[in-house]
C-alpha cells in the first residue's frame, strides 16, 4: 500500500466556505463562483476536488441555469506541476467518481466546455496543459465536437446605421421563430446543429431542441428579438439579442438558405448589436461562432467584434 501522503481523496465541497480550497487550482471562471453558488447556478455537491494530503491535484464542477439539473461541465483542472501520467490519472479518477455521484443513473453526460487562449496551440506550455485535459476527457469516452471563436464588441465601436434594405420586426412568438429556425437548419455550418441532424432529428425537431434548451431560458425581453424581411414582406432571417447570466450576447443569427450570400448577415448582426448597445450600461457584447464558420466570423470582424479567446466543446455519444 502506498504511503498515506500519496493516497487520493475524492470528495465534493462541503459548502461555499470551501471555495478557497477549490481555488487552489485556477481557471478564468473563478471570479464567477461566489455568485454562481449564491444564485443556485452551482451547488457545492457539484464541485469536486481530488486531494493528496492538503494538495489539490484536480477539480471538476458542473453548471446549470436553475440548480436543478447540471447542464454543462465547465471546470476540469489538473495540477500541471505533476508529471503528465500522474495528473491525468488523478483527473480521470475524479471525473468518473464525481460524474457517478452527480448525475442520475443513466442520465446523459452534459457537454464539456473549455475556454482557451487564441494561440493555445502555439504556446508549448498552454498546449500541454490543454492537451492533458482533452486526454482525460477522451479516456472517459468524450470526443471533440467543435472549436469556437469567442468574440466581443465594446461600447464606442461604430455600428452602421440601418441602411433600409431590410425591414425588422419583433418575433411574433414561438411558432413564428421556430418556422424560420427549421428552415435555417438546411445547409447550416453550425456544429451543434449538424450534430443534432446527424443524430436523427429532423430540422423542426432540431430547431425545437435549440429553442427549448437555450433560447427559452433567456429572461430579457422577447421584444429585442428581430425578424428581417424584404420590403415585399419575404422573410430573410432573424437575430436573437439577449442577456445571459453574465453578459449581453448575440445568442443566434440565422439567414434562410435562399437568402444567403447577399450580405444580409451583416445587417442582421448590426441590428442585434444596435438593440443591445441601446440598453443602459452596456459596455460590451459577447458572441461566439464556430471556427469553421468563416462567413459568420468575417461578418463579426466587419462589425468591429474582436476575438478575445477560443473555446472548445466535447461530448459523450
Amino acid at each position: 500500500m502506498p504511503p498515506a501522503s500519496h493516497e487520493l481523496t475524492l470528495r465534493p465541497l462541503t459548502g461555499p466556505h470551501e471555495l478557497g480550497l477549490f481555488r487552489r487550482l485556477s481557471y478564468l471562471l473563478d471570479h464567477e463562483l461566489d455568485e454562481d453558488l449564491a444564485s443556485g447556478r452551482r451547488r457545492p455537491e457539484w464541485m469536486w476536488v481530488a486531494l493528496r494530503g492538503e494538495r489539490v491535484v484536480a477539480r471538476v464542477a458542473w453548471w446549470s441555469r436553475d440548480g436543478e439539473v447540471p447542464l454543462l461541465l465547465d471546470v476540469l483542472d489538473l495540477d500541471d506541476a505533476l508529471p503528465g501520467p500522474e495528473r491525468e490519472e488523478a483527473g480521470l479518477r475524479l471525473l468518473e467518481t464525481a460524474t457517478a455521484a452527480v448525475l442520475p443513473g443513466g442520465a446523459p453526460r452534459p457537454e464539456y466546455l473549455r475556454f482557451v487562449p487564441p494561440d493555445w496551440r502555439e504556446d508549448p506550455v498552454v498546449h500541454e496543459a490543454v492537451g492533458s485535459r482533452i486526454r482525460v476527457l477522451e479516456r472517459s469516452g468524450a470526443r471533440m465536437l467543435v472549436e469556437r471563436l469567442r468574440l466581443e464588441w465594446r461600447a464606442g465601436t461604430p455600428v452602421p446605421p440601418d441602411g433600409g434594405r431590410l425591414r425588422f420586426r419583433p418575433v411574433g412568438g414561438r411558432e413564428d421563430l421556430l418556422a424560420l429556425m427549421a428552415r435555417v437548419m438546411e445547409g447550416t455550418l453550425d456544429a451543434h446543429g449538424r450534430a443534432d441532424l446527424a443524430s436523427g432529428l429532423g430540422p423542426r425537431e432540431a430547431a425545437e431542441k435549440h429553442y427549448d434548451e437555450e433560447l427559452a431560458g433567456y429572461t430579457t425581453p422577447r421584444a429585442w428579438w428581430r425578424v428581417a424581411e424584404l420590403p415585399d414582406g419575404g422573410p430573410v432571417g432573424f437575430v436573437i439579442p439577449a442577456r445571459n447570466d453574465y453578459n449581453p450576447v448575440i445568442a443566434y443569427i440565422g439567414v434562410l438558405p435562399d437568402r444567403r450570400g447577399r450580405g444580409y448577415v451583416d445587417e442582421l448582426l448590426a441590428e442585434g448589436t444596435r438593440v443591445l448597445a441601446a440598453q443602459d450600461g452596456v459596455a460590451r457584447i459577447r458572441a461566439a461562432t464556430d471556427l469553421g464558420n468563416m462567413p459568420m466570423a468575417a461578418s463579426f470582424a466587419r462589425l468591429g467584434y474582436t476575438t478575445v479567446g477560443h473555446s472548445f466543446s466535447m461530448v459523450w455519444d
Side-chain angles (χ1 to χ4, degrees), residues 214-257:
E214 180 182 355
L215 303 186
Y218 291 117
T219 59
T220 40
R222 301 291 171 86
W224 293 358
W225 300 6
R226 296 286 192 268
V227 172
E229 298 175 334
L230 295 171
D232 64 6
V236 169
F238 57 88
V239 60
I240 309 298
R243 184 183 178 95
N244 62 21
D245 294 313
Y246 311 99
N247 293 289
V249 295
I250 299 295
Y252 193 13
I253 294 179
V255 179
L256 301 182

Side-chain angles (χ1 to χ4, degrees), residues 24 26 65 69 80 99 130 165 216 256 277 306:
R24 289 182 189 173
S26 64
R65 286 198 177 92
V69 178
D80 292 311
T99 298
V130 174
R165 190 163 69 134
L256 301 182
T306 59

Side-chain angles (χ1 to χ4, degrees), residues 63-206:
W63 177 93
S64 76
R65 286 198 177 92
D66 54 15
E68 293 297 321
V69 178
L71 296 180
L72 196 66
L73 173 66
D74 62 343
V75 177
L76 190 160
D77 289 305
L78 311 174
D79 183 346
D80 292 311
L82 295 175
E86 182 180 348
R87 69 173 179 258
E88 291 173 25
E89 187 61 30
L92 181 61
R93 284 185 59 191
L94 177 64
L95 176 61
E96 296 299 84
T97 301
T99 298
V102 169
L103 299 182
R109 294 192 183 201
E111 182 175 308
Y112 172 66
L113 174 67
R114 181 80 184 185
F115 296 143
V116 294
D119 62 348
W120 69 272
R121 288 182 175 84
E122 285 71 51
D123 185 318
V125 175
V126 177
H127 186 269
E128 171 57 23
V130 174
S132 285
R133 288 145 180 80
I134 292 174
R135 288 189 291 272
V136 168
L137 271 293
E138 288 176 338
R139 288 176 63 187
S140 76
R143 63 174 176 85
M144 187 67 70
L145 176 64
V146 67
E147 184 170 343
R148 310 195 83 202
L149 299 173
R150 299 176 59 231
L151 303 151
E152 183 175 284
W153 176 92
R154 288 193 173 272
T157 304
V159 181
D162 184 354
R165 190 163 69 134
L166 299 176
R167 300 186 312 188
F168 293 98
R169 63 169 177 84
V171 171
R174 174 187 168 91
E175 183 55 42
D176 183 27
L177 185 59
L178 281 175
L180 296 174
M181 290 175 67
R183 292 175 64 184
V184 163
M185 295 301 295
E186 179 184 334
T188 180
L189 297 177
D190 179 78
H192 286 85
R194 293 164 69 95
D196 287 337
L197 295 175
S199 75
L201 296 181
R204 170 71 185 209
E205 294 170 308

